Amino acid sequence: MKSAACTHRKSPRGWKYAIGAAVVAALLGSTACRSDTAGGSDATRPSGRSSATNSAKPVETAPSKPGGTASPKPGGTSGTPGGNGGSGPVAACAAADLAVSAVKEPADSKEARHLLITVQNAGDEKCDLYHYPLVRLGADARTTVPVIKDSDPDPGKPVTLAPGKEAYAALLVSGGARDEYEAHTVSLRLQGRTPGSNASKPMDVPLPVKTLYADDGQLVTYWTTASGYALDFIMSK
């Protein structure tokens, strides 16, 4: 009688069947893995071009300048230094920018002993008048008219004229002195910053009369923007 162990022992054919089934299963699994890898999903399948995120180049920005915003150019509004509308120095008045005239004071006087000389800024920029006009009475005058030193309204400072504004200087033609002579012309020169300097060519002053009777007592005042102030220095003479 055979034992139970011998009854249940598998035959070599059974072992072969089991091994064969295992091999087939392994082959099928390997085939499935290769199929998944070759086909794959869109997430794992390699692409022929890079994605938009990876292919986009980083945007380069210019480095910011110190200060953040651009600083304004110096100069502000005109000019140029002195553009005269800003804080720069004001240029000296030029003869070409001034309109000159003269009237006698008082207007109804028979003698033209007292004249009020007026200059108006006819230019587009404000300008400075320095000291007093260098006046000559008559074409043959050898010297300029002496100035009344006390008539300087603001010693050491020029008179600044805005466009269209006027300045005045009072002229005493004759002071009752000797050596009277006839003058048919009056001319003036502008001064520069240095007292006594000539800063312009002679400017002819239109006269209210044809002939002036001048003498050695003639005098002139400093420039001022107040005509009455200038006249006070000569009307009593």
Side-chain angles (χ1 to χ4, degrees):
M1 183 176 180
K2 295 181 180 180
S3 63
C6 290
T7 303
H8 296 286
R9 180 181 300 171
K10 294 181 179 179
S11 67
R13 183 178 178 181
W15 282 105
K16 291 180 180 180
Y17 176 82
I19 293 173
V23 170
V24 172
L27 290 175
L28 290 175
S30 176
T31 303
C33 290
R34 284 198 302 271
S35 176
D36 290 343
T37 303
S41 63
D42 291 340
T44 58
R45 184 186 299 120
S47 173
R49 63 175 183 270
S50 302
S51 63
T53 303
N54 293 331
S55 63
K57 296 182 179 179
V59 178
E60 296 181 359
T61 57
S64 60
K65 296 181 180 180
T69 58
S71 54
K73 295 181 179 180
T77 53
S78 146
T80 62
N84 297 344
S87 58
V90 178
C93 293
D97 293 328
L98 298 178
V100 186
S101 61
V103 296
K104 60 181 180 178
E105 293 291 340
D108 58 354
S109 62
K110 293 180 180 181
E111 296 179 340
R113 292 184 61 243
H114 308 96
L115 296 181
L116 181 67
I117 299 174
T118 303
V119 291
Q120 183 185 50
N121 184 357
D124 297 327
E125 304 287 347
K126 60 184 177 181
C127 63
D128 281 345
L129 283 174
Y130 290 94
H131 314 301
Y132 55 92
L134 300 175
V135 179
R136 290 182 182 269
L137 284 171
D140 299 327
R142 296 180 180 179
T143 61
T144 58
V145 177
V147 68
I148 302 174
K149 295 181 179 180
D150 294 339
S151 64
D152 192 348
D154 198 353
K157 294 183 179 180
V159 173
T160 300
L161 285 184
K165 297 300 181 179
E166 298 177 340
Y168 311 94
L171 174 63
L172 179 63
V173 176
S174 61
R178 58 184 182 181
D179 297 334
E180 184 179 275
Y181 65 94
E182 292 184 359
H184 301 284
T185 62
V186 173
S187 66
L188 68 83
R189 287 178 181 264
L190 302 175
Q191 295 190 59
R193 284 187 171 87
T194 303
S197 60
N198 286 320
S200 73
K201 295 180 179 181
M203 303 168 62
D204 291 331
V205 180
L207 298 179
V209 295
K210 291 182 178 181
T211 303
L212 295 175
Y213 297 94
D215 63 23
D216 293 342
Q218 55 196 253
L219 294 168
V220 71
T221 67
Y222 278 79
W223 292 115
T224 178
T225 55
S227 59
Y229 176 84
L231 288 170
D232 285 344
F233 287 94
I234 66 169
M235 294 307 292
S236 59
K237 301 182 182 299

